[in-house]
Amino acid sequence: MLDDNERYMQAALGEAQRAYDEGEVPVGCIIVHDGLIIGKAHNQRETLQDPTAHAEVLAITQAANHLGSWRLEGARLYVTLEPCPMCAGAIILARLEAVYFGATDPKAGCCGTLMNLLGDSRFNHMPELHAGLLADECGAILTSFFREIRQRRGN
């Protein structure tokens, strides 16, 4: 039986699948506050032709709109891939309570892989960080997506 954190990450994986189905890099994110999902999104950089349209940024905007405040204190973010520098910065600025991520990102991960922005005490806010939640499942969808792209290109 899945615990709450696993269930929330499963919801983020559902968002990642939506991204996959739309031809976007399959990253999904949800934000939970008081047991309710108040933000959910998936990558939409290609769809929107917007370099900032990462799942985390879009979900943070939804959550802020839901709460009527940019301060997301008490909220937890679940994302299938380790946040990049932009998303880690947005997480800090939004004052999220905690971040749970699945797969690590060796090329852009800023929550422990390349660096840990969320753990830098020089910032005014440091959310709790929980790495590796359903990491295998989160990594598998990314692996499948990029394998499919390479096959289409004949590589």
Side-chain angles (χ1 to χ4, degrees):
M1 184 161 176
L2 298 177
D3 69 15
D4 284 346
N5 291 325
E6 290 170 334
R7 281 190 293 116
Y8 292 135
M9 187 60 82
Q10 286 288 351
L13 277 162
E15 285 295 312
Q17 185 63 52
R18 289 184 63 198
Y20 190 112
D21 295 344
E22 294 171 11
E24 297 276 358
V25 174
V27 177
C29 179
I30 67 156
I31 298 177
V32 177
H33 186 264
D34 290 337
L36 298 173
I37 295 174
I38 62 168
K40 65 179 181 174
H42 55 278
N43 275 4
Q44 294 187 54
R45 289 190 314 172
E46 297 298 331
T47 301
L48 299 175
Q49 287 300 298
D50 178 353
T52 68
H54 288 204
E56 299 96 319
V57 171
L58 297 171
I60 286 170
T61 299
Q62 278 186 14
N65 286 336
H66 178 87
L67 293 178
S69 174
W70 61 268
R71 292 176 185 89
L72 301 182
E73 294 161 340
R76 294 174 292 155
L77 181 143
Y78 295 80
V79 63
T80 57
L81 182 64
E82 180 181 3
C84 73
M86 175 184 68
C87 294
I91 288 164
I92 292 166
L93 294 173
R95 299 186 181 155
L96 284 148
E97 176 180 302
V99 173
Y100 296 78
F101 74 83
T104 58
D105 185 348
K107 294 185 179 182
C110 285
C111 295
T113 300
L114 297 179
M115 63 185 66
N116 186 357
L117 291 177
L118 300 187
D120 191 324
S121 62
R122 294 173 292 178
F123 291 113
N124 69 331
H125 179 71
M126 289 177 42
E128 294 173 24
L129 181 59
H130 306 273
L133 181 61
L134 301 182
D136 291 341
E137 295 92 325
C138 293
I141 192 170
L142 288 157
T143 299
S144 176
F145 178 79
F146 287 113
R147 181 183 305 121
E148 194 174 295
I149 286 176
R150 284 191 302 276
Q151 288 172 346
R152 274 191 248 136
R153 291 181 181 161
N155 296 340

